[in-house]
Amino acid sequence: AGEVLDEVKALVDAPDSDLFDVLSYILFVLPPLTREERADRVKKDGLEDEGEEMRSFLRRVLGAYVEAGESELDNERLGRHIEAAYGSLGDGRSKLGETASIREAYLGMQARLYGASGGTDD
């Protein structure tokens, strides 16, 4: 499946975009954003409701997304991101808060990443 996506990305001249943008381009003729452009929009306007520690953590996750792709946003990756940033899940929870609030911020960041304003210059 990854090889097919890479071929489609090459066909629409969007090698640094992810599946969402490639499909948006194909289905709606929306110009694809690179992962970096998409992440920069969230960093700029989508994290203001979070505390400073959570913003820093989510920026780190967005950096991994830019570098490695949308697989970094898998729910299963959340624990790995916390461990990478803080050394352990316990240390991460002590800095970021309860697991439910961390997950809520993580999912909210993803929603903003792919939200309606994330794909166009409204």
Side-chain angles (χ1 to χ4, degrees):
E3 293 170 4
V4 172
L5 178 58
D6 289 340
E7 289 177 26
V8 172
K9 286 179 181 182
L11 286 173
V12 298
D13 194 27
D16 295 324
S17 297
D18 61 26
L19 180 60
F20 179 85
D21 287 295
V22 171
L23 291 177
S24 293
Y25 177 74
I26 292 169
L27 295 173
F28 307 112
V29 194
L30 294 174
L33 297 174
T34 65
R35 288 187 301 272
E36 184 172 15
E37 290 168 329
R38 188 168 289 288
D40 284 348
R41 288 180 178 208
V42 173
K43 288 176 188 176
K44 180 181 174 201
D45 298 323
L47 301 176
E48 66 275 350
D49 293 338
E50 304 296 344
E52 185 55 41
E53 188 68 35
M54 184 61 76
R55 278 196 304 272
S56 177
F57 172 69
L58 294 175
R59 284 186 200 113
R60 183 182 177 113
V61 171
L62 287 168
Y65 158 75
V66 168
E67 290 299 315
E70 61 267 29
S71 65
E72 290 299 318
L73 302 176
D74 289 346
N75 286 331
E76 297 78 34
R77 292 273 216 224
L78 178 56
R80 291 184 193 150
H81 287 300
I82 293 171
E83 288 175 348
Y86 299 101
S88 73
L89 294 175
D91 288 343
R93 283 193 300 267
S94 72
K95 297 278 189 180
L96 298 172
E98 294 299 317
T99 302
S101 64
I102 297 169
R103 183 169 301 286
E104 182 180 328
Y106 185 69
L107 294 175
M109 181 261 316
Q110 291 178 32
R112 290 185 293 277
L113 194 64
Y114 293 109
S117 64
T120 62
D121 289 328
D122 297 342

